Every structure is written in structure tokens, then in C-alpha cells.
Amino acid sequence: MNHIVIPIAVQGASKQRKREAPKGRRVDPTALAEVQTLLGSASRQPDLLIEHLHKIQDRFGSLSAAHLAALAQEMRLAQTEVYEVATFYHHFDVVKEGETAPATLTVRVCDGLSCEMAGARDLLDKLPSILGKDIRVIPAPCVGRCEQAPVAVVGQNPVPHASCEAIEAKVTAGESQHVPEGFIDYAAYQSQGGYGLLKECISGTRDTESVIKTMEDSGLRGLGGAGFPAGRKWRIVRAEKGPRLMAVNIDEGEPGTFKDRVYLERDPHRFLEGMLIAAWAVDIQTVYVYLRDEYHGCRAMLEAELEKMKAAPPMSNMPDIILRRGAGAYICGEESAMIESIEGKRGMPRLRPPYVAQVGLFGRPTLEHNFETLYWVREILEKGGAWFTSHGKNGRKGLRSFSVSGRVREPGVKLAPAGITIQELIDEYCGGMPDGHTLYGYLPGGASGGILPARLNAIPLDFDTLQPYGCFIGSAAVIVLSDQDTAVGAARNLMQFFKHESCGQCTPCRVGTAKASSLIEQPKWDVSLLAELSTVMRDASICGLGQAAPNPIDCVVKYFPHELA
């Protein structure tokens, strides 16, 4: 055997090279200087990773390999940590070495079910040739404006009831901010008695026990979809050892849901007062508000209103309110995935137990709430728990904010009694069906809540009333189908969404959504195979996405078998 002898001098040079070029991508000095200038004096703590990625993309239009490497060094993170987070979220455009950066302007056309029914596919087909190669046109999951379908987003500016002409005009006009009619700012809210209830709590006029008891008596349940009693949650978290934290979910990504956005755009301080009362009742000093990235206008408004509150606080020792920006991931509507995202990580659901109330954000007991749940706190405490329970129909109690879209004359957020039926909702709150359309079916709870036929139009819409039919109300996102639609078409749209939005952590969901989507695209469905797949996904998926994803398919098989014949 021939032996190769390496001279000592060469060996030394090799070691020296290793010291000069550490393992991994070397940081480009120019990129590092750009990142340092962009971040300025901002903290480099790890949980700000997503915020800093947004800053880079907002400034440069995409995330280059050089900037990611520079950010990793600046934040003292492994480059793999930065890269895996950047590539997890849909709104980050990661440009690998040797690749071409995307166009400076992106037009996203919502392809959610309501927008598809309103002609989104036609927009996607026509826009590339109209706008030209310098503008990127891509489909996007639900952007939370289903009542304005079809919707496009030019850069960060939404175009409601979009047409090719309207989108082209928005591209030409550039960035703009729109203040919704009837918007109530900090001064106007205070002039109407706003924050008076909070001051009663702080002054001792109202005590903690009475406040929590009123919330319990109201029967208010979490309005993000899970439906856990709000007052009981306050009591549970308060009993945990401090310090405690609070996380507010405004990442309403469920197709068909837009109620939080509508309320936030018009009366943000009603929510903020409810949030501060909850923080006082549970003894919380830091609140994190997680807002979906699609709500660009809401973010600018909320930042401005929070600055006004800091300048003239409605209470002494006001909790720190930290606004965090999502990055396009439906899974972050799940509470533990949202918490992972707030911590600067990929939004992957945690295994439970422990529960978020025990070990949540940064390992501390955490009070997690949906936006609308907190929006109701002030009115319930002012009017009493019995006031809230006095509403309701068909044996149910309370009020519900239904996000109604699809085939109705007057879509939008409809505040109606809990227990109202779909027929009553359409006839009494939505102006009926459009001319030439007859009710064919409906989704009572968004993409994951299942699909019911028109003949089941007398079921009370509320928590616990839809489960016997294989459905649930979730966040009360109602999408109405007419005789010009098919349940099969709706199921195909929804399963494509779940396939796109699965976080990929668990095999039953990652593989199951893709397999199910492929199977139902076939002209003839393999019903027995789909049933087996549904069972596995429900039994073995880690979180509600994979567990509920089969609902549309199972409902088509159960209630619309004639479409499969």
C-alpha cells in the first residue's frame, strides 16, 4: 500500500485554514453591515427572529442567503435555525445562492373557497399577461376578507371585490392606507366611557373574584374555535404560580373567518380594554398580541393606537403590550403553534400535556385568548352575565358573531343569537339568497367544520349542536353554497388548503392531507380508502388541523353521495 505523507508545514497550514474559515457559510461583510444598520439598536434576543426577518424582507424585497447568514451571526444563532424558520412561513421569500430574486411587487389572489366561488381562478389566469413579467402573480390561502370576494392583495394593500382593472389600478397607485368608516380611536373611545370599567377594577370598586364570577356566569366560551369557558380559564391561570404571561390570537386564518378583522378595524380599544381587564384579573404584566401578516392596515392602526396609550396610559403600571407579526401560516392559529411563533420558531404545535395554562410562552403559565373573546369582556361586565345569557334561540344561550360569505345577498359579520339556524341567518340577516340561486349546502364552521346539505337547515348553530352531524361551529365562519356549486368542488378546494397549510410535523397530517387531496381529484372516489385515511388522520394527528381536515370529505360521502355516483 502506498502511503501519502503530508509535510508538517502543510498540516499546519490546513489547521490554520480551518481557523480562518469556520464550518458553515462565511458571512459577507456588506450583508452584515446592511443587517446591522437595519436592526440598529433593536435587541438581538432569539424570540425576535421573525420580526427581524420581516425587517429584512420589507427592506430588500426578499431574504438572500447572504442576509440570512449575516442575521444568524448577529443574533448568535446557528444558520440552520434561521433558515428553517425563514423557509417555514409562506410570506418569506428565501432566495438560495444562485437563484434569482422574485419580482419587486407581488400580487396575491386569494383562492379560498369564497373567492374561488366569486371568480378568483379567472383572475389568476388573466393577470400575469395583463401585469407583465415584472410583477409576480400567485395564489394565496384565505386572506380574511371573504365578505369582499374575490380579493387580491397588491403588495400589502387589499383590493376588495377585485377585477383585473381594479388590481391594475392599485398596482399603478402604489401603497395606501384606508381608515374604515366609523373607526373609533383612543380619544373617541374614552369620550364614550371607554376604560372606565378598567379604572373601576384598578381602583378596587370591582374586585377580582366578582369579575371572574361574572365572566363564569355569562357562559362566554372562547370564540377562536375551541370554545373553552373564558371565566374558568382566568381562574385556572390565576391559580398557577407567577410570573404569568398572556398571548392574544389575532391570526384568524380559517377560510371563511373575518370577524376579528372587522371588529379590530372599527373598535380596537373595546378589545384592548377587555385585554387589560383580563391581565389585571389574572395578574399578568406582559401581553403578547399575535396579528396575522395579512392584516397590514390593522397592524399600522394598532401600533399607532398603542403609542397613544403609552403617551397617556389608561392605568398606572400598565402591562407591557408587545405586538408580534405573523408570517403566513394557518397552523399558528393553534394556540401552542402561535406560542412557538411568538418565541421566534417554526409554528409547530406542542404535544400536551403540559397545557399552555401551565407551561406556555417562554415556559410560563399563559392566558391565551382569541381577539373576539376579549372584545366581549367590557359589555359583559357592564351589563352582567345574565344579560349575555338572555340572548339565544332554539334553547341556546348567548350571542355569536357569524362571518357569512358565499352565496348570500349581504355577506359580512352578523351578530345574531346563538342557536340561530342557517335558514334564519340567511333570511333575517343576509337578505336571502341572490337571484337565481337556491340553498344547496353550507359550511357551519369554516374549512374544518364540515359541509351540510340544505335539507339540514334547521340545526341550531352553536357549540355542541353540530357534532352529531359530524360538524362543528368553530369560529362561526359560515360559507353558503347554492345549486350552482358542488360539495365535491368545495371539498377539493378545502383539502388543497389543508395540504398547503400542514406544518409537516406529524406524518398522519403531512402525508394524509396530500394523499386525500390526490384521491379526491380523481373522477371516481375510492370511498373505502378515504374512510381508512380519515380514521388514521383523526386518531394520530398531533393537532386539530390533521384531526379535522377529513371533515369535508366525510361530509361529501355522507350527505352528497349523488355527486359521487
Side-chain angles (χ1 to χ4, degrees):
M1 182 181 293
N2 293 325
H3 297 275
I4 299 175
V5 179
I6 301 176
I8 294 176
V10 176
Q11 291 176 341
S14 176
K15 291 177 181 178
Q16 181 64 28
R17 280 196 298 272
K18 287 183 179 180
R19 284 194 294 271
E20 291 175 354
K23 189 174 181 180
R25 182 183 302 279
R26 299 192 68 177
V27 176
D28 177 73
T30 301
L32 180 60
E34 289 173 338
V35 169
Q36 289 173 333
T37 300
L38 189 61
L39 300 188
S41 60
S43 171
R44 270 58 167 174
Q45 63 198 59
D47 59 284
L48 289 173
L49 174 56
I50 294 172
E51 297 295 310
H52 293 340
L53 287 170
H54 274 303
K55 290 178 182 177
I56 295 171
Q57 177 148 306
D58 288 347
R59 171 64 180 82
F60 297 102
S62 59
L63 300 172
S64 68
H67 283 137
L68 291 177
L71 181 63
Q73 176 168 310
E74 192 66 12
M75 297 188 71
R76 297 184 180 276
L77 296 170
Q79 291 185 25
T80 52
E81 291 180 85
V82 174
Y83 185 80
E84 72 177 9
V85 170
T87 54
F88 179 85
Y89 295 93
H90 305 314
H91 289 187
F92 290 139
D93 291 314
V94 177
V95 182
K96 299 177 183 177
E97 199 166 299
E99 290 184 344
T100 303
T104 54
L105 180 63
T106 295
V107 175
R108 290 181 166 87
V109 178
C110 177
D111 64 357
L113 180 56
S114 297
C115 285
E116 182 181 85
M117 293 162 62
R121 180 50 54 188
D122 189 52
L123 293 176
L124 285 165
D125 291 341
K126 292 178 178 178
L127 281 173
S129 61
I130 293 173
L131 299 179
K133 64 180 181 180
D134 294 331
I135 296 176
R136 180 174 61 161
V137 178
I138 60 174
C142 183
V143 297
R145 294 181 177 272
C146 315
E147 86 281 23
Q148 302 168 354
V151 179
V153 182
V154 177
Q156 293 181 316
N157 290 271
V159 183
H161 308 295
S163 63
C164 291
E165 294 76 17
I167 294 169
E168 194 172 14
K170 177 62 73 173
V171 168
T172 303
E175 293 289 318
S176 63
Q177 291 292 336
H178 170 67
V179 178
E181 185 178 349
F183 174 73
I184 302 171
D185 67 4
Y186 187 38
Y189 184 74
Q190 288 181 305
S191 70
Q192 299 170 9
Y195 292 108
L197 179 65
L198 173 65
K199 290 173 182 177
E200 289 181 12
C201 294
I202 300 302
S203 66
T205 304
R206 292 176 183 258
D207 63 88
T208 304
E209 177 58 31
S210 68
V211 165
I212 295 179
K213 182 69 165 55
T214 301
M215 292 298 296
E216 290 175 329
D217 291 344
S218 74
L220 179 69
R221 295 172 64 169
L223 297 171
F228 192 87
R232 190 191 309 172
K233 185 182 287 189
W234 290 16
R235 195 175 294 281
I236 289 171
V237 178
R238 183 178 173 81
E240 295 290 328
K241 184 179 179 181
R244 309 169 196 88
L245 299 173
M246 186 172 178
V248 181
N249 190 339
I250 321 181
D251 191 61
E252 55 175 358
E254 181 77 16
T257 307
F258 48 89
K259 60 183 176 62
D260 292 354
R261 188 207 87 239
V262 169
Y263 287 143
L264 179 59
E265 285 178 335
R266 288 160 176 76
D267 198 0
H269 289 279
R270 185 170 296 273
F271 145 69
L272 289 170
E273 183 170 12
M275 181 184 78
L276 291 174
I277 291 171
W280 163 81
V282 184
D283 191 16
I284 287 167
Q285 299 304 313
T286 306
V287 180
Y288 289 81
V289 178
Y290 189 83
L291 180 65
R292 73 180 305 199
D293 195 33
E294 288 86 346
Y295 292 171
H296 175 65
C298 290
R299 184 172 63 254
M301 172 275 295
L302 201 51
E303 288 172 342
E305 294 303 309
L306 288 174
E307 284 301 316
K308 294 176 185 177
M309 291 176 66
K310 288 180 182 177
M315 60 182 289
S316 59
N317 299 319
M318 191 170 80
D320 291 330
I321 302 173
I322 300 172
L323 185 59
R324 287 291 167 88
R325 180 178 172 184
Y330 166 69
I331 190 65
C332 290
E334 195 276 338
E335 62 175 7
S336 65
M338 177 189 68
I339 283 172
E340 289 287 298
S341 190
I342 291 173
E343 293 180 354
K345 306 170 189 173
R346 294 175 294 169
M348 290 187 166
R350 297 176 178 177
L351 293 171
R352 286 167 286 194
Y355 296 95
V356 166
Q358 302 163 315
V359 181
L361 195 53
F362 305 115
R364 301 308 311 162
T366 301
L367 179 66
E368 189 275 342
H369 268 313
N370 166 260
F371 167 92
E372 196 203 348
T373 310
L374 296 169
Y375 185 86
W376 282 106
V377 168
R378 174 187 167 185
E379 198 156 7
I380 287 173
L381 292 179
E382 286 180 340
K383 297 179 178 178
W387 165 81
F388 191 74
T389 61
S390 69
H391 297 84
K393 298 188 73 170
N394 300 310
R396 310 304 298 176
K397 294 181 179 181
L399 291 165
R400 294 286 175 271
S401 300
F402 293 93
S403 303
V404 186
S405 63
R407 310 294 190 183
V408 293
R409 287 181 184 274
E410 301 169 8
V413 175
K414 311 297 178 180
L415 182 60
I420 194 171
T421 68
I422 186 64
Q423 197 65 60
E424 293 168 334
L425 188 62
I426 293 171
D427 294 342
E428 299 173 20
Y429 290 81
C430 302
M433 302 286 290
D435 290 340
H437 292 262
T438 302
L439 179 64
Y440 177 68
Y442 63 102
L443 285 69
S448 54
I451 309 174
L452 291 170
R455 61 182 174 82
L456 295 179
N457 65 346
I459 302 171
L461 299 179
D462 196 13
F463 296 111
D464 309 322
T465 60
L466 293 157
Q467 281 85 336
Y469 302 91
C471 298
F472 57 82
I473 194 170
S475 58
V478 176
I479 303 177
V480 179
L481 308 179
S482 80
D483 52 354
Q484 297 186 21
D485 308 302
T486 67
V488 165
R492 285 172 175 160
N493 176 285
L494 301 174
M495 194 50 65
Q496 279 290 330
F497 171 80
F498 291 129
K499 173 187 174 182
H500 183 264
E501 293 298 320
S502 173
C503 77
Q505 180 178 190
C506 66
T507 303
C509 179
R510 181 184 67 250
V511 177
T513 52
K515 182 65 175 177
S517 182
S518 175
L519 286 171
I520 66 173
E521 287 296 330
Q522 303 304 313
K524 184 174 178 58
W525 287 14
D526 187 335
V527 174
S528 61
L529 183 57
L530 284 167
E532 291 181 29
L533 186 58
S534 172
T535 299
V536 171
M537 292 174 68
R538 292 180 187 282
D539 291 347
S541 294
I542 289 175
C543 81
L545 193 159
Q547 294 164 9
N551 279 346
I553 296 175
D554 291 349
C555 285
V556 169
V557 174
K558 184 176 182 179
Y559 298 117
F560 303 89
H562 56 279
E563 292 191 23
L564 304 177

